[in-house]
Amino acid sequence: MKALTLTQPWALAMALGLKRYETRSYFTSYRGPVAIHAAKGWAREDQDMAREHGLLVEANATRGCVLAIGKLVD
């Protein structure tokens, strides 16, 4: 299975269905199941955003792991 790594709080937002789209600058022909992986690294500005939206504790606890399985479509 392929994986998509996102930094927090974006990975948590995608796992919860709050973020439905992710765009990248490169093309992939792969379509199908994809693991949503939370990166270990966490930038200060992303921590501030998680704090503002009440996701700081959850996002901090869920780094460096797969949070959900999604579906990559066109």
Side-chain angles (χ1 to χ4, degrees), residues 4 6 20 25 28 33-34 36 40-41 44-45 52 55 63 65 68 70:
L4 180 63
L6 301 166
R20 295 191 58 206
S25 62
T28 180
V34 61
I36 306 303
K40 281 189 176 183
R44 173 67 60 193
E45 57 270 13
E52 290 171 13
L55 298 173
R63 292 188 296 150
C65 62

Side-chain angles (χ1 to χ4, degrees), residues 32-55:
V34 61
I36 306 303
H37 174 261
K40 281 189 176 183
W42 200 7
R44 173 67 60 193
E45 57 270 13
D46 291 337
Q47 292 177 38
D48 294 341
M49 184 179 302
R51 184 178 292 107
E52 290 171 13
H53 294 282
L55 298 173

